[in-house]
Structures are given as structure tokens and as C-alpha cells.
Amino acid sequence: MMKQYAAEFVGTFWLVLGGCGSAVLAAAFPDVGIGLLGVSLAFGLTVLTMAFAIGHISGCHLNPAVSFGLWAGGRFPASQLAPYIIAQVLGGIVAGAVLYVIASGQAGFDVSAGFASNGYGEHSPGGYSFTAALVCEVVMTMMFLVVIMGATDKRAPAGLAHIAIGLCLTLIHLISIPVTNTSVNPARSTGVAVFVGDWAVAQLWLFWVAPIVGGVLGALVYRFIGKEEASR
């Protein structure tokens, strides 16, 4: 089991460092910034690469909402929820610390500017309301779990699940970065929010509750639409 937990730690570390790192270091870099499209791709690529690297070890959840969703979908034991989530959160925080050390090496760095944290209201990139953020996070995570469970179904084409899941996370970011800076992952949100403190920590609860609710809903949706009919 320790290898599974270590894999979740490493995988979530890579997701936060790669995804949030692209947003903090490269999104608006003068003249050659990667922009929102680049950040969206970065998040998708972290999941895609880790799915190939550790999927056979831990299942590559990298996300408490995914772990809760797979549990609700009957694909993950309740006894492993807590250790998986602890490993994911710790991996996210360590990645946030590494990113902080790198980013603070530039003159004028100001962590209070956001540090890729998720937010709503005045802290939403597009000024979206609490309600908009709540609905967005629930629905995006719900669809993420539908894709995850469908792509990993034994009836799905073999060997392509990692690609579908990585591209799904890319699409989610393309849709929702302007709304909340895209969470759909409490560990990702926590990993950077703890270094910003203040408003980022005050609003962090939403980015735990909404993704977990969405993940469970997505699993239940797939259990309904994906249920095999009994043979007659």
C-alpha cells in the first residue's frame, strides 16, 4: 500500500508543479507566454504522463474528488480514501513549496497576486460570482468522472483511457479557467492556496466541497448510464 500512496504523492506533485507552474511562470511571460491554452494543455499533459507512469501502481487518481467519485462508483474501497487523500494533498503542498521557491527567485514576485489559486467574486479571473463558480466546479468535476469511469470501463477500447482523461482535463480548463482558475481538484487548490493565505484559504472550502460533490454525482451518473443490462 505504501507504494500506492507514494505514487499518488508523486503524481499529484507533478500535476500541481506542471499545471500551476505553467500558470505562474509561463502563462504571461513577455512576448512568448503560453496563455490559457498552454496552461490548459499543461494540466492535461500532467495527468496524461502520470497515467502512463503510475496508473498501474495506484490508479493515478491525483485528486480527492476522483478518489471519492471512484468510491461512489464502486471502483475504490472506502478504507483507502483517507490515505490516498492525505498523500495527494501532501504532494500538492510540496509542489506548491517548490514552485514558490522558483517563482520567488524573480525580482518583484508577489505571492498575494494569486499564485494560480482558485477563487470566485473579485478573485475569479473573469469576476464570476460564487454561484457561477459553484455550478462550474460541480458540473466540470461531474463530467470528469463520467469520462474517467467510461474510459476505464472494461468495455471501452483498451489502452486509450489515459488519452481520453488527459484531454478531458484539458477541455475542462479551456472552459473554466476564466470562472475559477479551474480547480476540479481539492489537492491542486490546497497546494497553492496555503502559500497565498488570506482570501485563497478563506475561499478554499468551495474548492473542496464542489469538486467532491461533482465527483460523486459523476460516478452515480455513470453507474446509471453505464450499467450493463442483464442478459435475457
Side-chain angles (χ1 to χ4, degrees), residues 30-56:
D31 302 324
V32 292
I34 63 175
L36 299 187
L37 174 59
V39 174
S40 299
L41 285 169
F43 273 100
L45 288 171
T46 61
V47 170
L48 177 61
T49 52
M50 274 296 124
F52 281 106
I54 67 168
H56 55 286

Side-chain angles (χ1 to χ4, degrees), residues 100-154:
Y100 181 86
V101 170
I102 295 170
S104 61
Q106 183 184 47
F109 169 70
D110 180 12
V111 72
S112 65
F115 199 52
S117 290
N118 303 113
Y120 55 85
E122 65 179 309
H123 302 295
S124 157
Y128 286 84
S129 68
F130 166 83
T131 302
L134 174 64
V135 172
C136 185
E137 288 291 327
V138 169
V139 173
M140 293 298 140
T141 316
M142 180 182 75
M143 295 310 300
F144 193 32
L145 262 293
V146 170
V147 171
I148 289 172
M149 292 194 66
T152 56
D153 193 302
K154 63 184 179 182

Side-chain angles (χ1 to χ4, degrees), residues 3 33 91 119 174 180-181 217:
K3 289 184 179 179
L174 288 171
T180 61
N181 226 11
L217 286 175

Side-chain angles (χ1 to χ4, degrees), residues 25-207:
L25 304 174
F29 189 78
D31 302 324
V32 292
I34 63 175
L36 299 187
L37 174 59
V39 174
S40 299
L41 285 169
F43 273 100
L45 288 171
T46 61
V47 170
L48 177 61
T49 52
M50 274 296 124
F52 281 106
I54 67 168
H56 55 286
I57 301 172
S58 68
C60 192
H61 297 190
L62 317 185
N63 182 341
V66 170
S67 296
F68 265 104
L70 293 176
W71 163 74
R75 305 248 191 111
F76 190 66
S79 61
Q80 287 190 265
L81 271 175
Y84 259 58
I85 291 170
I86 290 169
Q88 292 157 0
V89 171
L90 289 176
I93 292 173
V94 172
V98 171
L99 180 57
Y100 181 86
V101 170
I102 295 170
S104 61
Q106 183 184 47
F109 169 70
D110 180 12
V111 72
S112 65
F115 199 52
S117 290
N118 303 113
Y120 55 85
E122 65 179 309
H123 302 295
S124 157
Y128 286 84
S129 68
F130 166 83
T131 302
L134 174 64
V135 172
C136 185
E137 288 291 327
V138 169
V139 173
M140 293 298 140
T141 316
M142 180 182 75
M143 295 310 300
F144 193 32
L145 262 293
V146 170
V147 171
I148 289 172
M149 292 194 66
T152 56
D153 193 302
K154 63 184 179 182
R155 296 165 293 171
L160 299 178
H162 305 339
I163 298 171
I165 294 167
L167 289 176
C168 181
L169 188 60
T170 298
L171 177 57
I172 286 169
H173 280 78
L174 288 171
I175 297 168
S176 59
I177 286 178
V179 183
T180 61
N181 226 11
T182 308
S183 172
V184 302
N185 184 339
R188 168 262 188 268
S189 299
T190 304
V192 289
V194 295
F195 293 92
V196 177
D198 192 26
W199 64 266
V201 171
Q203 295 189 354
L204 183 60
W205 69 271
L206 176 67
F207 302 103

